[in-house]
Amino acid sequence: MSMFDEAKKKYQELGIDVEAAFEKVSKIPVSVHCWQGDDVLGFEGVESLEGGIQTTGNYPGRARNFEELKADIRKCFALMPGKKRLNLHASYAVLGEDLGKIDRDQYTFKHFKPWVDFAKELGLDGIDFNPTFFAHKKVKDGLSLSSPDEETRKFWIEHGKRSLEIATELGKAFGKPCFVNIWIPDGLKDIPADRLGPRMRLKDSLDQIIDHPGWDRKHVIVGVESKVFGIGVESYTVGNSEFYQNYAAKKGICCLMDTGHYHPTEVVSDKISSLLCFYDHLALHVSRPVRWDSDHVIIFEDELREVAKEIIRNHAEDKVIIGLDYFDASINRLVAWTTGVHSMQKSLLYAATLPNEELKKLQDEANFSKLLYLQERAKMLPFSVIWEEYLKRQGLEVDYYTPLKQYEDEVLSKR
Ligand code: RNT
Ligand code: ZN
């Protein structure tokens, strides 16, 4: 009997169907962010980030343009299991001769068509989109959609509208909705004198964007991403959790929860089910905060497994839009990318190979002794064998490091 057959038997003893789990997990799309490849810099010529997000590290080999980023994506996506989508920021517009001539309030689908061709070449499931409200000279005094300066605010509202128009085309191009995430960096470093004003302006700006007739709800799902604080904006974040949850509910759009955007003892895994009670969709930015919103590469750890469990055992695979959001510039960026995707997939498969129904039943019967026993026993199932088989069936191996190191030596080190 092969190792896998033996392992499968052990799972069967607990009533777990490994084959069904493979099937289920391989169909769950994970939206992989393009910005791990170039430290979130994009193609518009910016040299550093601002607005509370930061990459740290200076590992050589960063992708400097569309061609290099595509080459890196091609390389590491081929080593990632599962169904993938590509998540783009507006700052990754392929501007060609429009570079320096037009600004974000004028971008159109044309500037993203090359990405569509590329995603189709890779056989991806679709493209998701993010307006980029940061790293730009028009962010005035740290504010975009909440700015008291009407010209500034207008510019960013127009950018939001263009983004929804572009997303409509992206959705059409793949025959599946494009998820658009709105995150703004707006906040204040020190104690505000007016907390309401910026929030009322943000509400009005969002209304203007969402009520814009030039986009199609059939092809686009819109989400709003809250945050508790950022470096440099420690005292006040305009778009906090309460603001966006209420806004999304009123407006019939969805919330995006970034796992790094809450107080350090709060966990997103506990919030998912609450939102599932009220929303058709909810979106995630899966990240790993280390003491703050540091956006470390996600790993196979307790909280990530807990997030995956909430998706799988609540049968919410079609409701939870999984996007990744981490960026590490201190290590090989492709190893970072690939490790994160493997971790997400691993967690989903792990969650799908637990005796979920039995565990739920024990909770409802208040049989907490057996629940504790079974939860602990399940931890010792031979998951590594199951994971290797999952990879094997997709033509992959556990060692993605060797090919990426070779790529580093042959390609990245020459940049
Ligand atoms: C920042 C937010 C936001 C960004 C990306 C690049 O704190 O998490 O989602 O990380 O849009
Ligand atoms: Zn995020």
Side-chain angles (χ1 to χ4, degrees):
M1 219 198 260
S2 73
M3 285 247 287
F4 174 63
D5 286 331
E6 260 174 58
K8 214 161 110 173
K9 246 183 77 194
K10 293 218 155 144
Y11 278 82
Q12 259 159 14
E13 280 163 23
L14 293 185
I16 301 155
D17 183 347
V18 171
E19 296 293 341
F22 282 166
E23 177 75 10
K24 178 181 276 187
V25 173
S26 64
K27 286 191 188 142
I28 304 175
V30 171
S31 196
V32 184
H33 54 317
C34 73
W35 52 91
Q36 163 59 53
D38 74 332
D39 312 341
V40 210
L41 292 175
F43 302 154
E44 301 164 318
V46 290
E47 273 152 23
S48 67
L49 290 173
E50 35 153 91
I53 51 174
Q54 249 173 344
T55 45
T56 51
N58 207 2
Y59 202 81
R62 177 178 81 76
R64 294 161 298 182
N65 52 51
F66 185 42
E67 290 310 314
E68 290 181 353
L69 192 57
K70 272 197 297 184
D72 293 357
I73 289 174
R74 208 177 265 124
K75 183 74 206 172
C76 65
F77 273 42
L79 300 166
M80 298 166 179
K83 194 188 254 193
K84 290 173 287 294
R85 297 172 61 83
L86 184 62
N87 202 359
L88 294 182
H89 247 288
S91 53
Y92 291 80
V94 183
L95 293 167
E97 50 192 36
D98 287 338
L99 182 66
K101 291 198 195 130
I102 65 165
D103 214 332
R104 290 182 193 167
D105 57 339
Q106 291 170 303
Y107 290 179
T108 64
F109 177 62
K110 171 179 105 179
H111 305 110
F112 297 92
K113 177 73 174 53
W115 278 112
V116 172
D117 298 338
F118 177 63
K120 290 201 166 165
E121 174 202 315
L122 297 191
L124 303 180
D125 192 50
I127 292 183
D128 297 311
F129 196 72
N130 303 256
T132 311
F133 293 104
F134 55 87
H136 192 281
K137 58 182 186 314
K138 290 214 161 105
V139 177
K140 194 168 180 238
D141 306 318
L143 304 176
S144 63
L145 290 178
S146 72
S147 173
D149 177 69
E150 277 306 303
E151 209 189 299
T152 299
R153 199 162 73 90
K154 181 91 189 94
F155 173 83
W156 290 112
I157 291 168
E158 288 307 310
H159 177 51
K161 292 181 186 172
R162 292 302 84 69
S163 297
L164 292 181
E165 292 162 9
I166 293 164
T168 301
E169 297 307 313
L170 290 171
K172 278 187 201 160
F174 292 90
K176 283 180 193 160
C178 168
F179 175 69
V180 172
N181 176 47
I182 297 180
W183 175 75
I184 61 167
D186 301 30
L188 293 172
K189 183 181 172 79
D190 222 325
I191 303 166
D194 176 17
R195 289 186 171 87
L196 182 59
R199 288 186 172 137
M200 289 303 285
R201 287 191 293 269
L202 173 58
K203 180 167 173 271
D204 177 75
S205 300
L206 290 170
D207 281 347
Q208 291 192 47
I209 295 170
I210 308 289
D211 295 341
H212 171 50
W215 67 286
D216 191 341
R217 281 189 187 240
K218 199 165 89 214
H219 298 293
V220 180
I221 299 173
V222 180
V224 278
E225 178 182 13
S226 69
K227 188 161 173 171
V228 65
F229 87 98
I231 300 278
V233 282
E234 288 85 355
S235 300
Y236 170 71
T237 295
V238 184
N240 64 359
S241 178
E242 292 73 11
F243 178 91
Y244 280 132
Q245 271 191 21
N246 283 289
Y247 187 79
K250 278 218 153 170
K251 225 44 196 176
I253 58 170
C254 86
C255 297
L256 181 141
M257 296 190 288
D258 183 307
T259 54
H261 287 194
Y262 297 87
H263 288 280
T265 56
E266 276 182 272
V267 281
V268 164
S269 56
D270 186 52
K271 301 176 189 295
I272 291 173
S273 49
S274 295
L275 294 194
L276 284 176
C277 296
F278 300 100
Y279 290 88
D280 292 339
H281 289 105
L282 71 97
L284 298 178
H285 263 182
V286 187
S287 192
R288 179 165 56 106
V290 177
R291 300 190 192 283
W292 64 292
D293 179 33
S294 60
D295 294 295
H296 276 62
V297 178
I298 56 171
I299 54 174
F300 187 56
E301 58 170 358
D302 285 348
E303 171 58 7
L304 185 54
R305 282 194 288 268
E306 212 55 32
V307 164
K309 283 194 222 167
E310 287 300 312
I311 299 170
I312 299 286
R313 66 189 173 196
N314 295 323
H315 309 290
E317 306 91 72
D318 295 330
K319 293 185 171 177
V320 181
I321 299 166
I322 306 174
L324 309 182
D325 186 16
Y326 52 83
F327 28 94
D328 193 335
S330 74
I331 54 174
N332 178 315
R333 292 171 183 79
L334 282 79
V335 174
W337 241 332
T338 313
T339 300
V341 174
H342 275 239
S343 305
M344 187 70 239
Q345 287 280 331
K346 232 180 256 175
S347 304
L348 290 167
L349 186 63
Y350 181 82
T353 51
L354 289 174
N356 293 312
E357 293 309 317
E358 174 70 9
L359 294 170
K360 249 188 222 180
K361 199 166 140 257
L362 292 170
Q363 175 179 317
D364 288 343
E365 288 165 355
N367 191 345
F368 297 116
S369 319
K370 187 162 181 202
L371 176 59
L372 181 65
Y373 149 77
L374 193 56
Q375 279 174 328
E376 290 307 292
R377 180 161 165 205
K379 284 183 186 165
M380 289 298 115
L381 285 166
F383 181 67
S384 70
V385 182
I386 301 297
W387 173 244
E388 281 194 35
E389 177 71 15
Y390 179 69
L391 290 177
K392 197 172 125 203
R393 295 205 187 169
Q394 298 185 47
L396 300 171
E397 287 173 23
V398 272
D399 177 14
Y400 54 81
Y401 180 78
T402 307
L404 291 179
K405 176 67 180 124
Q406 191 185 345
Y407 184 76
E408 176 175 329
D409 295 341
E410 286 168 7
V411 179
L412 301 178
S413 67
K414 309 220 160 80
R415 282 182 186 161

